[in-house]
Amino acid sequence: MPLKFLVLYGSYRRDRMGIRLADFVVEGFKSRGADCELIDAKALDLPMLDRMYKEYPAGTAPAALETLAAKIKAADGFVFVTGEYNWGVQPGLKNLTDHFLEEWFWRPAAIASYSAGRFAGVRAALAWHGTLSEMGMVVISSALTVGPISATLDEAGQPTGDAGGHLEKAFPRFASDLEWWAEAAKSQKAKTPPPY
């Protein structure tokens, strides 16, 4: 059975470029045989966090939350594709993530960051590392960083130029690390159910 990955993306901006990286990551994992789906916070359009999914009585959560909770629970791992806003995380992606907690537990997460400049969103990636760890995920050590994004991926999410070549070389290790941790977590959960 193929590994199931969710690629989570959170920009709400009109001319968002990070969707290029999200599409590249989804296609990259699919080409390696994974079942991979893009979760676009803007398309889901969840409200600002008031109540977490777990705070709704069973069967009363909004349909979008119910559907997403099921997808998160069924996933073997996650990729968070994040831009950097004023040295921090994108509010749309953070809002989506914060609607859930236990649903994320005991699976690995990977971070793919980007920016319009040469720093490639690394400060946002650093902030996400602590957040995802606190939310019960194991964050892999490999990172995918893209900057400037407009010189790395074209509108169809295809690598372009020297920067695109570097991204293509970096992706296999990034993907292999997430796959390894996903397989390890899956195997361990089959032997020993998580403690809660």
Side-chain angles (χ1 to χ4, degrees), residues 29-51:
F29 276 106
K30 283 182 176 179
S31 73
R32 296 170 64 90
D35 176 354
C36 192
E37 180 181 354
L38 174 64
I39 304 296
D40 184 347
K42 185 177 181 180
L44 284 173
D45 198 27
L46 296 178
M48 288 302 293
L49 179 63
D50 171 32
R51 238 180 224 198

PDB file of all heavy atoms in Angstrom, residues 29-51:
ATOM      1  N   PHE A  29       6.280  13.602  -5.007  1.00  0.00           N
ATOM      2  CA  PHE A  29       5.937  12.406  -4.230  1.00  0.00           C
ATOM      3  C   PHE A  29       5.099  11.427  -5.042  1.00  0.00           C
ATOM      4  O   PHE A  29       5.274  10.208  -4.923  1.00  0.00           O
ATOM      5  CB  PHE A  29       5.227  12.789  -2.925  1.00  0.00           C
ATOM      6  CG  PHE A  29       6.182  13.146  -1.825  1.00  0.00           C
ATOM      7  CD1 PHE A  29       6.356  14.466  -1.448  1.00  0.00           C
ATOM      8  CD2 PHE A  29       6.922  12.163  -1.173  1.00  0.00           C
ATOM      9  CE1 PHE A  29       7.249  14.798  -0.437  1.00  0.00           C
ATOM     10  CE2 PHE A  29       7.813  12.489  -0.168  1.00  0.00           C
ATOM     11  CZ  PHE A  29       7.988  13.809   0.206  1.00  0.00           C
ATOM     12  N   LYS A  30       4.204  11.934  -5.865  1.00  0.00           N
ATOM     13  CA  LYS A  30       3.419  11.033  -6.716  1.00  0.00           C
ATOM     14  C   LYS A  30       4.326  10.247  -7.660  1.00  0.00           C
ATOM     15  O   LYS A  30       4.099   9.051  -7.894  1.00  0.00           O
ATOM     16  CB  LYS A  30       2.385  11.825  -7.526  1.00  0.00           C
ATOM     17  CG  LYS A  30       1.181  12.250  -6.710  1.00  0.00           C
ATOM     18  CD  LYS A  30       0.160  12.980  -7.578  1.00  0.00           C
ATOM     19  CE  LYS A  30      -1.085  13.324  -6.807  1.00  0.00           C
ATOM     20  NZ  LYS A  30      -2.063  14.065  -7.638  1.00  0.00           N
ATOM     21  N   SER A  31       5.359  10.903  -8.178  1.00  0.00           N
ATOM     22  CA  SER A  31       6.273  10.220  -9.102  1.00  0.00           C
ATOM     23  C   SER A  31       7.075   9.125  -8.395  1.00  0.00           C
ATOM     24  O   SER A  31       7.619   8.235  -9.032  1.00  0.00           O
ATOM     25  CB  SER A  31       7.229  11.222  -9.761  1.00  0.00           C
ATOM     26  OG  SER A  31       8.214  11.668  -8.847  1.00  0.00           O
ATOM     27  N   ARG A  32       7.133   9.184  -7.075  1.00  0.00           N
ATOM     28  CA  ARG A  32       7.826   8.165  -6.283  1.00  0.00           C
ATOM     29  C   ARG A  32       6.860   7.087  -5.784  1.00  0.00           C
ATOM     30  O   ARG A  32       7.233   6.225  -4.989  1.00  0.00           O
ATOM     31  CB  ARG A  32       8.536   8.833  -5.110  1.00  0.00           C
ATOM     32  CG  ARG A  32       9.641   9.787  -5.533  1.00  0.00           C
ATOM     33  CD  ARG A  32      10.159  10.620  -4.377  1.00  0.00           C
ATOM     34  NE  ARG A  32      10.800   9.831  -3.346  1.00  0.00           N
ATOM     35  CZ  ARG A  32      12.098   9.524  -3.321  1.00  0.00           C
ATOM     36  NH1 ARG A  32      12.911   9.967  -4.285  1.00  0.00           N
ATOM     37  NH2 ARG A  32      12.612   8.807  -2.342  1.00  0.00           N
ATOM     38  N   GLY A  33       5.593   7.156  -6.222  1.00  0.00           N
ATOM     39  CA  GLY A  33       4.621   6.124  -5.886  1.00  0.00           C
ATOM     40  C   GLY A  33       3.742   6.413  -4.685  1.00  0.00           C
ATOM     41  O   GLY A  33       2.946   5.563  -4.280  1.00  0.00           O
ATOM     42  N   ALA A  34       3.852   7.601  -4.110  1.00  0.00           N
ATOM     43  CA  ALA A  34       3.034   7.938  -2.946  1.00  0.00           C
ATOM     44  C   ALA A  34       1.642   8.403  -3.357  1.00  0.00           C
ATOM     45  O   ALA A  34       1.439   8.891  -4.469  1.00  0.00           O
ATOM     46  CB  ALA A  34       3.714   9.023  -2.125  1.00  0.00           C
ATOM     47  N   ASP A  35       0.715   8.274  -2.438  1.00  0.00           N
ATOM     48  CA  ASP A  35      -0.617   8.852  -2.563  1.00  0.00           C
ATOM     49  C   ASP A  35      -0.492  10.226  -1.898  1.00  0.00           C
ATOM     50  O   ASP A  35      -0.375  10.306  -0.680  1.00  0.00           O
ATOM     51  CB  ASP A  35      -1.620   7.960  -1.834  1.00  0.00           C
ATOM     52  CG  ASP A  35      -3.033   8.509  -1.821  1.00  0.00           C
ATOM     53  OD1 ASP A  35      -3.245   9.659  -2.276  1.00  0.00           O
ATOM     54  OD2 ASP A  35      -3.926   7.813  -1.318  1.00  0.00           O
ATOM     55  N   CYS A  36      -0.489  11.270  -2.685  1.00  0.00           N
ATOM     56  CA  CYS A  36      -0.173  12.601  -2.164  1.00  0.00           C
ATOM     57  C   CYS A  36      -1.251  13.599  -2.581  1.00  0.00           C
ATOM     58  O   CYS A  36      -1.642  13.647  -3.747  1.00  0.00           O
ATOM     59  CB  CYS A  36       1.194  13.040  -2.697  1.00  0.00           C
ATOM     60  SG  CYS A  36       1.863  14.490  -1.881  1.00  0.00           S
ATOM     61  N   GLU A  37      -1.709  14.383  -1.613  1.00  0.00           N
ATOM     62  CA  GLU A  37      -2.791  15.337  -1.874  1.00  0.00           C
ATOM     63  C   GLU A  37      -2.418  16.715  -1.352  1.00  0.00           C
ATOM     64  O   GLU A  37      -1.875  16.857  -0.254  1.00  0.00           O
ATOM     65  CB  GLU A  37      -4.080  14.863  -1.188  1.00  0.00           C
ATOM     66  CG  GLU A  37      -5.259  15.777  -1.405  1.00  0.00           C
ATOM     67  CD  GLU A  37      -6.528  15.322  -0.699  1.00  0.00           C
ATOM     68  OE1 GLU A  37      -6.532  14.213  -0.122  1.00  0.00           O
ATOM     69  OE2 GLU A  37      -7.515  16.081  -0.717  1.00  0.00           O
ATOM     70  N   LEU A  38      -2.759  17.736  -2.113  1.00  0.00           N
ATOM     71  CA  LEU A  38      -2.574  19.118  -1.696  1.00  0.00           C
ATOM     72  C   LEU A  38      -3.759  19.567  -0.855  1.00  0.00           C
ATOM     73  O   LEU A  38      -4.912  19.409  -1.248  1.00  0.00           O
ATOM     74  CB  LEU A  38      -2.438  20.032  -2.923  1.00  0.00           C
ATOM     75  CG  LEU A  38      -2.373  21.540  -2.640  1.00  0.00           C
ATOM     76  CD1 LEU A  38      -1.124  21.899  -1.839  1.00  0.00           C
ATOM     77  CD2 LEU A  38      -2.417  22.321  -3.952  1.00  0.00           C
ATOM     78  N   ILE A  39      -3.459  20.133   0.311  1.00  0.00           N
ATOM     79  CA  ILE A  39      -4.471  20.760   1.158  1.00  0.00           C
ATOM     80  C   ILE A  39      -4.182  22.258   1.123  1.00  0.00           C
ATOM     81  O   ILE A  39      -3.181  22.715   1.670  1.00  0.00           O
ATOM     82  CB  ILE A  39      -4.415  20.225   2.607  1.00  0.00           C
ATOM     83  CG1 ILE A  39      -4.564  18.699   2.639  1.00  0.00           C
ATOM     84  CG2 ILE A  39      -5.454  20.929   3.466  1.00  0.00           C
ATOM     85  CD1 ILE A  39      -5.893  18.178   2.143  1.00  0.00           C
ATOM     86  N   ASP A  40      -5.036  23.008   0.460  1.00  0.00           N
ATOM     87  CA  ASP A  40      -4.847  24.442   0.251  1.00  0.00           C
ATOM     88  C   ASP A  40      -5.748  25.209   1.219  1.00  0.00           C
ATOM     89  O   ASP A  40      -6.973  25.172   1.112  1.00  0.00           O
ATOM     90  CB  ASP A  40      -5.206  24.770  -1.203  1.00  0.00           C
ATOM     91  CG  ASP A  40      -4.965  26.217  -1.587  1.00  0.00           C
ATOM     92  OD1 ASP A  40      -4.757  27.062  -0.692  1.00  0.00           O
ATOM     93  OD2 ASP A  40      -5.005  26.510  -2.799  1.00  0.00           O
ATOM     94  N   ALA A  41      -5.121  25.882   2.179  1.00  0.00           N
ATOM     95  CA  ALA A  41      -5.890  26.603   3.202  1.00  0.00           C
ATOM     96  C   ALA A  41      -6.842  27.625   2.585  1.00  0.00           C
ATOM     97  O   ALA A  41      -7.963  27.797   3.066  1.00  0.00           O
ATOM     98  CB  ALA A  41      -4.936  27.291   4.181  1.00  0.00           C
ATOM     99  N   LYS A  42      -6.400  28.286   1.535  1.00  0.00           N
ATOM    100  CA  LYS A  42      -7.253  29.292   0.902  1.00  0.00           C
ATOM    101  C   LYS A  42      -8.509  28.650   0.314  1.00  0.00           C
ATOM    102  O   LYS A  42      -9.608  29.196   0.434  1.00  0.00           O
ATOM    103  CB  LYS A  42      -6.478  30.040  -0.180  1.00  0.00           C
ATOM    104  CG  LYS A  42      -7.261  31.177  -0.812  1.00  0.00           C
ATOM    105  CD  LYS A  42      -6.419  31.933  -1.821  1.00  0.00           C
ATOM    106  CE  LYS A  42      -7.191  33.084  -2.443  1.00  0.00           C
ATOM    107  NZ  LYS A  42      -6.382  33.828  -3.424  1.00  0.00           N
ATOM    108  N   ALA A  43      -8.355  27.492  -0.314  1.00  0.00           N
ATOM    109  CA  ALA A  43      -9.505  26.798  -0.901  1.00  0.00           C
ATOM    110  C   ALA A  43     -10.458  26.308   0.193  1.00  0.00           C
ATOM    111  O   ALA A  43     -11.678  26.351   0.022  1.00  0.00           O
ATOM    112  CB  ALA A  43      -9.031  25.629  -1.758  1.00  0.00           C
ATOM    113  N   LEU A  44      -9.928  25.856   1.319  1.00  0.00           N
ATOM    114  CA  LEU A  44     -10.773  25.403   2.424  1.00  0.00           C
ATOM    115  C   LEU A  44     -11.479  26.565   3.100  1.00  0.00           C
ATOM    116  O   LEU A  44     -12.609  26.431   3.551  1.00  0.00           O
ATOM    117  CB  LEU A  44      -9.940  24.660   3.472  1.00  0.00           C
ATOM    118  CG  LEU A  44      -9.512  23.254   3.116  1.00  0.00           C
ATOM    119  CD1 LEU A  44      -8.566  22.715   4.175  1.00  0.00           C
ATOM    120  CD2 LEU A  44     -10.719  22.350   2.977  1.00  0.00           C
ATOM    121  N   ASP A  45     -10.766  27.685   3.214  1.00  0.00           N
ATOM    122  CA  ASP A  45     -11.315  28.912   3.803  1.00  0.00           C
ATOM    123  C   ASP A  45     -11.935  28.671   5.182  1.00  0.00           C
ATOM    124  O   ASP A  45     -13.069  29.071   5.450  1.00  0.00           O
ATOM    125  CB  ASP A  45     -12.339  29.544   2.854  1.00  0.00           C
ATOM    126  CG  ASP A  45     -12.606  31.006   3.210  1.00  0.00           C
ATOM    127  OD1 ASP A  45     -11.711  31.651   3.794  1.00  0.00           O
ATOM    128  OD2 ASP A  45     -13.715  31.493   2.925  1.00  0.00           O
ATOM    129  N   LEU A  46     -11.148  28.041   6.062  1.00  0.00           N
ATOM    130  CA  LEU A  46     -11.619  27.843   7.432  1.00  0.00           C
ATOM    131  C   LEU A  46     -11.724  29.191   8.135  1.00  0.00           C
ATOM    132  O   LEU A  46     -10.948  30.104   7.851  1.00  0.00           O
ATOM    133  CB  LEU A  46     -10.643  26.946   8.206  1.00  0.00           C
ATOM    134  CG  LEU A  46     -10.482  25.515   7.705  1.00  0.00           C
ATOM    135  CD1 LEU A  46      -9.438  24.785   8.541  1.00  0.00           C
ATOM    136  CD2 LEU A  46     -11.800  24.769   7.730  1.00  0.00           C
ATOM    137  N   PRO A  47     -12.645  29.331   9.072  1.00  0.00           N
ATOM    138  CA  PRO A  47     -12.718  30.590   9.832  1.00  0.00           C
ATOM    139  C   PRO A  47     -11.494  30.725  10.731  1.00  0.00           C
ATOM    140  O   PRO A  47     -10.795  29.732  10.993  1.00  0.00           O
ATOM    141  CB  PRO A  47     -13.989  30.419  10.662  1.00  0.00           C
ATOM    142  CG  PRO A  47     -14.131  28.933  10.812  1.00  0.00           C
ATOM    143  CD  PRO A  47     -13.612  28.340   9.533  1.00  0.00           C
ATOM    144  N   MET A  48     -11.230  31.918  11.216  1.00  0.00           N
ATOM    145  CA  MET A  48     -10.193  32.070  12.230  1.00  0.00           C
ATOM    146  C   MET A  48     -10.556  31.181  13.407  1.00  0.00           C
ATOM    147  O   MET A  48     -11.734  31.032  13.744  1.00  0.00           O
ATOM    148  CB  MET A  48     -10.077  33.527  12.677  1.00  0.00           C
ATOM    149  CG  MET A  48      -9.463  34.441  11.635  1.00  0.00           C
ATOM    150  SD  MET A  48      -7.799  33.949  11.114  1.00  0.00           S
ATOM    151  CE  MET A  48      -6.881  34.233  12.623  1.00  0.00           C
ATOM    152  N   LEU A  49      -9.546  30.580  13.993  1.00  0.00           N
ATOM    153  CA  LEU A  49      -9.777  29.585  15.029  1.00  0.00           C
ATOM    154  C   LEU A  49     -10.617  30.136  16.184  1.00  0.00           C
ATOM    155  O   LEU A  49     -10.260  31.125  16.820  1.00  0.00           O
ATOM    156  CB  LEU A  49      -8.437  29.074  15.570  1.00  0.00           C
ATOM    157  CG  LEU A  49      -8.534  28.030  16.675  1.00  0.00           C
ATOM    158  CD1 LEU A  49      -9.221  26.767  16.173  1.00  0.00           C
ATOM    159  CD2 LEU A  49      -7.164  27.702  17.223  1.00  0.00           C
ATOM    160  N   ASP A  50     -11.741  29.478  16.412  1.00  0.00           N
ATOM    161  CA  ASP A  50     -12.576  29.732  17.576  1.00  0.00           C
ATOM    162  C   ASP A  50     -12.630  28.442  18.374  1.00  0.00           C
ATOM    163  O   ASP A  50     -12.253  28.393  19.528  1.00  0.00           O
ATOM    164  CB  ASP A  50     -13.975  30.178  17.131  1.00  0.00           C
ATOM    165  CG  ASP A  50     -14.954  30.256  18.289  1.00  0.00           C
ATOM    166  OD1 ASP A  50     -14.518  30.561  19.412  1.00  0.00           O
ATOM    167  OD2 ASP A  50     -16.144  29.989  18.070  1.00  0.00           O
ATOM    168  N   ARG A  51     -13.052  27.367  17.699  1.00  0.00           N
ATOM    169  CA  ARG A  51     -13.144  26.063  18.311  1.00  0.00           C
ATOM    170  C   ARG A  51     -12.310  25.072  17.532  1.00  0.00           C
ATOM    171  O   ARG A  51     -12.421  24.976  16.314  1.00  0.00           O
ATOM    172  CB  ARG A  51     -14.591  25.593  18.227  1.00  0.00           C
ATOM    173  CG  ARG A  51     -15.205  25.286  19.525  1.00  0.00           C
ATOM    174  CD  ARG A  51     -16.616  24.849  19.293  1.00  0.00           C
ATOM    175  NE  ARG A  51     -17.413  25.525  20.281  1.00  0.00           N
ATOM    176  CZ  ARG A  51     -18.608  25.152  20.620  1.00  0.00           C
ATOM    177  NH1 ARG A  51     -19.188  24.152  20.016  1.00  0.00           N
ATOM    178  NH2 ARG A  51     -19.247  25.795  21.551  1.00  0.00           N
TER     179      ARG A  51
END
